[in-house]
Every structure is written in structure tokens, then in C-alpha cells.
Amino acid sequence: MLKFLHSRRFCTAILLACVATTFASSYGAEANWTIRNKPRNTITVIAHRGAGDLAPENCLSSLEFSWKLGAIPEVDVRQTKDGRIVMFHDGNFKRILPNADPEFQKKTIADLTYDEVRALDIGSFRGEQFKGEKVVSIEEIVDALKADNRRHVVIDVKQVDLKALAKAIYDVRFQVTLTTDKEDMLAEWSEICPNPDGTLWMGLGMMNDEQLEARFKTLREKNFKGINRFHLHVTRDANGELSPTPEFIRSHGDELRRRGIEFQAMPWPTKTCPDAKTDAALFRELLELGAMGFGADRMDVAYKVLEEFYADSPEDWNIRDNIPLDEVVIMGHRGMGNEAPEGTIETFKLAWASGICPEADIRMTKDGVFVSFHDDNFARILKDAPEDVKKQGVQDVTYDELMTLDVGAYKGEQYKGQRVVTLAQIVEELQKDPLRLIFCDIKNIDLARFARETEAVHPQICLTGPDIAPLIEWKKLAPRSKSLIWMPTTWSGTPENLEERFNKLRDQGFCGLDFVQVHVTVDENANVKPTLDVLRRVGTECRKQGIIFEVISWTNGDKEYVYRTLLDAGLASFATDFPTKTKEALKKYYDEKK
């Protein structure tokens, strides 16, 4: 199916992909997907044990340090003798307290009470400057997360009761990912924690292709239950070759992405690869093989490689070489464009089933119910209604009054009886499949309330609009979500000032955008406004940020030559009123490479 984004975190949120259902996966194998297809500011970098090698592990200052860098700290949790959940990795104190009595070094967190654990200095082993760091409680982690909803933490379970952990992190559950090397634990977590997020890690530099594939076979049998991310440890063997092999990494990374699972890779030091932590070439190779994020002991190295990788985006980029066909994002304008009634639940279901990401225009009824409806009034949709009804809009009627209106019949007798869809219905449908994505064009809504009512599905919502200010506010309210700014060059603005407006976006740091959409016109002679040169320059700049560059053609959008012309200019995505024609044109374009 032609869609495509991940979801759970583009924030990862990551852009992750919807599963292909219309086109054969063999097409996707021809395009070597890389992380450049995700917004640069959403790339997941996991700070091993809190801050990797750059600060003491599993302490509050290491978490703050990682968040300041933009990374996600990974912390290890255990329970004390009196049942308190705290951060601590090792099974004893030998490494962390090298000067302690040998008998004490043999003890574990479970042998001490919380007060006894808090009395320990866990920073000095890393240097005098870290002296006095204390073991951190789960309550302190939760408080730190509450201080900023953009923060995230990965919790590696060592010895903890899962129900107690779920209760402790409930208020910040959308900011927490559970990680373990036990898939059964993640399956259990998915039953215990509302809206769970889970990472399975594997390897430790000791597993070859055959051993890893055996684990994958089991995961497939269990349908990857509870797994939203996969974290693979990669090293080099005695011959300097990757272990697991590049072929394994690429093929299984592709499989994970198609399942909507974020594929993270971590350079892992071994006797044959002692410098993995600082091996920039290894980090780069993992990106070329399709890694979607990193685990790292040296986040500084990871970020340097990422910066260079994005900056190296080629100007002659073409969609066929970089995005599998079944992962190309096609937005169905107002749901399914001209092919079905606008903004009904039937249309949205049709779109998802067809590999289309529907767009919904969100308004609020007189009594405060969020619904999808585009126009300011009912005149176009209710052709036979009384004139006084036609002059009204969603904001003038109550929810009950709105639901008496037939908004399908204008499209034909076969659509008679379809009703306006509510936001609650949209959320319910999104929850049935975490790979579904919907674009929400805001009309007259309370953003804060909209964020609250969609919290469970934020990674599946892309808010859209022509102004950057509401999108900036949205990302503050819903950092796990996506955003798209659309730039009209027809009724508002001109093709000539597109670059000026785009430059303003650049000056603002692109404000966390996931998509930039430009409205174009294409005439019968394939003349494009804005010009192809302008579109190419905008597209190149977008790719260097990992932003998906999308266009909608307001003229001749049902013509194959329109898509060929735009695709040759480096376009990566389309909004359309003719989704079937768009899909056909894309398939033909990809077929030409075979």
C-alpha cells in the first residue's frame, strides 16, 4: 500500500511506514531506504545507561545531560529490599564502589533498603568531579519527565515487578519505553501498561546471522507482540567484517520498518572491535544499511555522524532510489479526493485500505464536539437543503443537529446516508491499527483540547496548516506527533515568493516539521509553477533536514505526465484529489527502473 510513516515515534517519532498491501514488496527492495527519509530532529539516539561514557551512569545528572543533548537516556531499574524502584545496572557493587569492603561489593540492590541505597556514592568511580551522585528513584525520574513533555526515557528492566512499574510511570507513560532482551516480557508489558511502548534488544556482539534469524522466526510467530522498536548490537569480527552481516542488517531492518517497528543499531565493543564506541565509520555504515536510530555510549560521535550524513544528501536525488514504492506517502485530499464523499468514516476506511493517508478538516460544533468537515457552510455538500440551512456551518449547529445531515448523497446514490465523522470515531479507528496515519487540517479548534483528546494516537496524527505558529504550539503540546505546513502558490502567495517563505522556515530551524507541502500548477505542456528549479532547490533543502517534500497539483492532477515531471524534479510525496491515478503513475514510474 502506498503510505508510509511510522509511527510510534518519529520522536520517534520518528516518520515510519504503513504496511504495504497494494504493491508487491519486491519493488521496495530496489530502493535503499536510509534515515534521511526521517526528520533529522526526530532521530532516536539512545544514551546507554543514562549518558554512555560521557557521565556517570544511571544518575540524575546523566539524564539531564542526555536530554540537553537531545538524546534519550536508557536507565536500568531494580527494586530495593523494601520494594522501591531505583536506577542501577549491575548485579552487585564491585564496579561502582571499587573501594568498598569486598563483602559489601558482593551485595545487590535487593539486599539493601532504599535509605541504605541512597547513602551510596555512585559517581566517584567516574572521577572526582562526579563525587556525591546518588541512586535515583523512579519517582524522581517521573518528576523529571513531568517537567518537560518532550523528554523520553528508556527503562531496561533488570529486577522489577512490572505491575509496580506500570503504576509508578502511569502519568508519564507516553514518555516511557520499556526495553529488555525478553520478548515475553514485552508481550506482558503490552497487557499491563496502557498505550505501552516496548523495545527488544538483541546481540551483545555475540550472535551471528543464523542465531539472530532463529530469534526472528520466533518473533514472527508471535507477530512481534509488544515490540515497537528493535535494538541490535553490531560489531566487527576478526576480519573487520560486520557481525551480523550487512545483508542481514539491511533485510531485517527493511522487514522491521515495514512492520512499523523502529530499527535501532548500536556499535558494540568486543575483543575484535574494541573501538566500536568511537568508530565513526561503523556508525556511518549502519546508516547506509537502513538503521533508523542509534544506541550509543558516545552520543557525541553518533550526532556528528548524523549531521554529516544529512548534509551529504545528493542534489540529483530520485524517489526510486531512496523510498520503496509501498512507503511513498500519498495524502488523500479531504479523505479520498474526488473519489468518495469528503471526511466520512467510510471514506477514511477506504483510504487506509487503499494505501492512502486521508486528510481530515477539523472543526468544532456549537456544543463543542470535534468533527471533520471542510467548508465554512453546508451549501456545496447539501445541495438540496433549504437556503437557511445552506448558509449555516458546523459552528452553527449542535452535534445532534449535525448528525441528522446526509453528507454522502451529494456524491451519488451509493453514498447516501453517510454522516459527518467525529474526532472520537477517528481516534477509535486509528487505535485499531498503529500503522494508520491521518492528516488533520485545523480550521476552528482549541489545540490544547484537541491534543488531550488525541493523546493515545499522537504518533498517528499529522497536524497541517498554512501558518507555522499553530504548528509550533502543536508540537509543544504533542511532541510525539507530526506536522505539515502547506504553502499555497495559487490563491494565497505566488510561485515567485515561495523561496522567500521557505527561507523564513529555514531561519526558524524548520520548527520540528515533518512535511513541507507546496501547491503547484502544471499546464498541458508540462510547464510548472513554481519552476522545477525552485522545486528542486526546496526539495534538496528538505532532504538535508529529513523533511518529506510533498506537492499537490491543482491542475491536471489526474494526468500521468504531471507526476513524471514532478518526480524527475526530486519530489518525495503527493497530496491528491485523484489517488487512484496518482498510485498508477507512481507504479509506472518505478516500473521503468526494473
Side-chain angles (χ1 to χ4, degrees), residues 1 40 167 173 197 208 218 241 300 304 329 378 432 437 464 495 513 528 590:
M1 121 181 159
R40 190 168 70 184
K167 182 178 180 180
R173 61 194 182 279
D197 190 19
N208 59 30
T218 300
E241 301 296 328
D300 53 338
K304 184 175 186 296
V329 179
F378 300 124
K432 292 178 181 179
L437 177 74
T464 81
L513 288 169
V528 182
Y590 273 73

Side-chain angles (χ1 to χ4, degrees), residues 393-463:
V394 167
Q395 70 279 2
D396 301 314
V397 298
T398 66
Y399 166 74
D400 288 338
E401 292 169 337
L402 183 65
M403 296 308 291
T404 65
L405 305 179
D406 184 335
V407 297
Y410 81 102
K411 265 293 185 184
E413 188 69 21
Q414 68 271 37
Y415 301 114
K416 188 175 181 179
Q418 292 190 12
R419 306 297 175 186
V420 167
V421 62
T422 66
L423 180 62
Q425 287 177 288
I426 293 172
V427 170
E428 182 181 357
E429 290 301 321
L430 289 172
Q431 288 178 310
K432 292 178 181 179
D433 185 348
L435 296 177
R436 288 174 171 172
L437 177 74
I438 193 164
F439 292 86
C440 293
D441 195 344
I442 53 176
K443 299 301 182 185
N444 64 325
I445 66 171
D446 178 335
L447 269 184
R449 187 180 148 204
F450 183 78
R452 290 194 300 271
E453 294 190 17
T454 58
E455 184 178 39
V457 293
H458 278 176
Q460 297 170 256
I461 289 179
C462 184
L463 202 74

Side-chain angles (χ1 to χ4, degrees), residues 91-226:
N92 59 45
F93 297 107
K94 183 177 181 179
R95 181 174 63 92
I96 304 299
L97 302 176
N99 299 320
D101 179 271
E103 288 303 311
F104 187 87
Q105 288 180 340
K106 296 177 184 178
K107 291 182 179 293
T108 70
I109 288 288
D111 294 324
L112 305 180
T113 66
Y114 175 70
D115 288 341
E116 290 171 331
V117 167
R118 287 284 285 187
L120 303 177
D121 178 348
I122 63 167
S124 293
F125 83 104
R126 277 283 175 85
E128 186 68 20
Q129 69 271 35
F130 300 118
K131 184 177 181 179
E133 291 283 2
K134 301 297 183 184
V135 170
V136 179
S137 69
I138 191 67
E139 290 82 7
E140 289 174 292
I141 299 173
V142 169
D143 286 343
L145 291 172
K146 285 181 177 180
D148 187 341
N149 69 350
R150 294 168 296 182
R151 290 174 172 177
H152 199 86
V153 70
V154 175
I155 295 180
D156 193 340
V157 176
K158 299 303 183 186
Q159 167 262 322
V160 163
D161 178 79
L162 287 184
K163 290 183 179 179
L165 180 61
K167 182 178 180 180
I169 60 94
Y170 180 82
D171 289 344
V172 292
R173 61 194 182 279
F174 295 108
Q175 296 169 256
V176 173
T177 296
L178 191 81
T179 186
T180 176
D181 64 337
K182 302 174 179 63
E183 56 264 33
D184 290 342
M185 181 181 290
L186 292 177
E188 182 182 357
W189 181 249
S190 71
E191 300 291 341
I192 291 173
C193 182
N195 302 102
D197 190 19
T199 299
L200 182 70
W201 59 261
M202 199 176 291
L204 295 177
M206 298 183 293
M207 298 178 70
N208 59 30
D209 289 15
E210 184 178 357
Q211 292 167 322
L212 288 167
E213 175 55 28
R215 289 287 301 275
F216 263 79
K217 181 179 179 182
T218 300
L219 295 177
R220 294 184 193 105
E221 291 170 352
K222 298 179 180 180
N223 199 30
F224 291 81
K225 183 177 180 180

